[in-house]
Amino acid sequence: MGDLPEKDPYEVLGVSPLATQEEIRRAYRALVRRYHPDSGTEEASATRFLEIHQAYELLSDPARRRAYDRLHRERRRRKGTSFWWEVILSRSILPALPEEQVLYVLVEVYPSKRVPTRRVPLNLVLVIDRSTSMQGARLDYVKSAAHHIIEDLAPQDVLGVVAFDDRAETIVPSQPLTNREYVHSKVSSIWASGGTEILRGLSAGLEQLRRYHGPDRISHLLLLTDGHTYGDEEACVAEARRAAGEGIGISTFGIGEDWHETFLSALAREAGGTCVYIADPAQARRALRRAVQGLCDILVRDLWLTPRFPAQVRLENVFRCAPDVERLRLIGEEISLGSLSVDAHLSVLLELAVAPMPPGKHRLMQLELRGLLPDAGVEDRLVADLEIEVRTEVEEQPISTAIINAVNKVNLFRMQERAWRALEEGRKEEARQQLEAVATRLLDLGETDLAHIALLEAQRMAQGEEVSKRAKKAIYFGTRHLRLSEGGQK
Amino acid sequence: MIQCPTCGEKYRPGTLFCSKCGTYLPTGGSPRTVTLPTDRLSDVPYTPPETGGLEQEAPVELRAIRVRVLETEREVTLPPASELLMGRRDPMRGIFPDLDLTADGGIEKGVSRRHARILQKEGKVFLEDVGSANGTFLNDQRLMPYLPYPLRDGDRIRIGKLELEIHFE
Ligand SMILES: [Zn+2]
């Protein structure tokens, strides 16, 4: 019995390599009840029981567990990282110019072929806006969506539910889904009243999430709201940033037209999640379900990109351009990229300003990408050093299609951003022209429906009418999800 | 500084797209104005105003275009239209190319869903790559994405790895 077992003891007990002694003991007891030859259950099996017992003996002895971990980690490292990347420059040779130049760097991150051995348990909290504006169909659809989520999750997943108006109430304290009936009945009891103060709901939701948060789980807050919050936006974004630092994600769902798209987008962006526009409340179930399924597919979480530059190079803008377009921001010297799913790919575009440099080879930047593998409880890391060459005479170089596509996609998003900014600042004619330009580009890209919406909006502006909130959201979210090409180089 | 040939906005060298009008700066490929199809209604519930802000293009003579897929010997005659999309059908994403190359082994031959298009303007015919993953070639020359190249009767084009022959009717 003292030999190293052939089977992974963590897998046998169904716990993460980061599990505490208490969790290991709990898992062991539950399995013993099921598989003990004397238990009288159908699954009773002497071999399976022996396996479980051996795994428990090994893991419950700290010295033996450490020895096993060391060997196991070594074995895993030799298999290579769980994600891979491709880094593409818009130009690798720059002409020697007396002025600053722009250079784009595209970072495409792919999951390696490795499929996780088991689905990582989820730790979710639903934060539901129950202010008076939600009364009726909106709240009904949201509650129905919540009921479906309760059914979709597995018993080892943890769920909490918080409802808020101008105060927050913990409807269901975070708990493993062993008593679904209780959770269902609590969700049914949510009624509409009061105003909208998102910060209250957000803080209460995060408090519940933290109770079960750990490196072996995917912890995510799902916020559903239909309205503006007043005065607490900045505090909300700060909360989201803190959550991201702890490895907690946030996704936001805006229902109807009266919520602020830049605010809800910012909340999700700060915590590596997504912001979803639910034009028709009946779509709430589908949107929420898709988000939860996305969380089930996560292979790597807490992905952080750290770009480091020499004095001559400056980072001007960072955008995520796949799966959707989003403006990213530096937190300290790092950029939070959220998580990577099994079948997806993630791409990030960095826009750099390069100061005049003498001919010769120069360091451009160092890129570091690290991410946490929740199913193995370890961190993977990739590092690349990038160089450019400055020459006095430069022939025209072909630009990678992937770069052109990425910049084009991001540019369209920026063009519409520019239109709304002009509108907000009262430059109506400029806003109108800008929207027309967006429409023309959309037509060029074959996005006829979206182009039509932008064009009609520009025409309404020309006649001095107000911009429709619905059209603004359609354009804002439409340009983020454009698929200009097949994406990826593979 | 470089200048956008379409709107005059200035940018630092190396910039790829004009953030004001969307022009691809290295080639100056200018955004075109295309007539909106009137049969497509947006879901935005209001009536469009009488006067449009978009210039209507004067109708010009358009030609039907016959395309022969060399690999499969398939011949398709495309109707006269100001814009014909070539690619692979994907109903899920609402992509319905005028020339659907799925049946010619499009996937294996690296054809993108939205790959390239044939444009007709003022009596001239152009071919433009619309950001395909594997590129579009005209008589063995790779096209810059989003830049229309003149197309002539009898030209050979390559969509990914599929060879096509173009004939004007
Ligand atoms: Zn321009």
Side-chain angles (χ1 to χ4, degrees), chain A residues 100-121:
Chain A
E100 211 174 61
Q101 304 187 44
V102 174
L103 190 74
Y104 303 91
V105 180
L106 184 67
V107 184
E108 306 239 43
V109 186
Y110 307 95
S112 303
K113 288 282 172 270
R114 206 183 70 96
V115 177
T117 46
R118 65 198 169 89
R119 174 163 88 67
V120 174

Side-chain angles (χ1 to χ4, degrees), chain B residues 54-68:
Chain B
L54 196 72
E55 293 163 46
Q56 294 289 112
E57 271 177 37
V60 286
E61 258 184 89
L62 296 175
R63 303 149 174 227
I65 289 168
R66 186 158 50 84
V67 181
R68 200 159 73 88

Side-chain angles (χ1 to χ4, degrees), chain A residues 18 82-83 214-218 298-304 370-375 377-380:
Chain A
L18 294 171
S82 54
F83 49 89
D216 56 337
R217 288 175 191 276
I218 305 287
I298 288 177
L299 182 67
V300 185
R301 58 162 249 219
D302 289 11
L303 269 172
W304 290 86
R370 56 185 176 83
L372 189 71
L373 279 65
D375 71 317
V378 291
E379 195 181 78
D380 267 347

Side-chain angles (χ1 to χ4, degrees), chain A residues 90-91 97 99-104 314 316 351 353 396-399 401 403-405 407-408 411 414-415 418 430 432-434 436-438 440-441 443-449 451-453 455-457 459-460 463 468 470-471 474 483-489, chain B residues 1-2 9 11-24 26 29-38 40-54 83 88 93 95 111-114 117 128-133 135 142 144-146:
Chain A
S90 62
R91 297 176 293 166
L97 294 177
E99 57 183 322
E100 211 174 61
Q101 304 187 44
V102 174
L103 190 74
Y104 303 91
R314 198 176 71 243
E316 293 218 306
E351 194 183 293
E396 205 181 313
Q397 316 154 56
I399 303 169
T401 320
I403 290 257
I404 296 176
N405 275 325
V407 182
N408 192 5
N411 192 57
R414 289 165 100 169
M415 282 171 71
R418 210 170 149 143
E430 194 187 323
R432 189 192 64 76
Q433 284 178 6
Q434 193 64 30
E436 244 174 44
V438 170
T440 314
R441 275 315 281 159
L443 274 183
D444 281 343
L445 300 167
E447 296 283 344
T448 326
D449 291 348
H452 205 153
I453 295 176
L455 206 68
L456 287 173
E457 229 33 52
Q459 287 170 353
R460 282 161 54 92
Q463 296 180 332
S468 121
R470 193 184 171 103
R483 283 182 176 269
L484 298 191
S485 74
E486 309 306 281
Q489 289 289 285
Chain B
M1 283 292 179
I2 55 172
E9 193 86 346
Y11 294 96
R12 286 166 299 179
T15 309
L16 286 181
F17 285 90
C18 173
S19 64
K20 199 170 163 192
C21 71
T23 298
Y24 181 59
S30 63
R32 284 160 304 274
T33 313
V34 185
T35 316
L36 270 176
T38 44
R40 300 274 282 275
L41 283 176
S42 81
D43 63 345
V44 181
Y46 46 72
T47 44
E50 307 271 313
T51 51
L54 196 72
E83 184 188 331
R88 281 193 293 112
R93 291 185 190 158
I95 300 172
V111 177
S112 293
R113 291 178 181 84
R114 293 178 37 75
R117 55 183 185 173
E128 182 191 2
D129 180 282
V130 290
S132 68
R142 184 169 182 150
M144 264 300 193
Y146 306 112

Side-chain angles (χ1 to χ4, degrees), chain A residues 279-293:
Chain A
D280 170 6
Q283 301 164 354
R285 196 179 104 195
R286 237 182 66 212
L288 204 59
R289 203 170 201 175
R290 193 184 299 155
V292 172
Q293 264 156 10

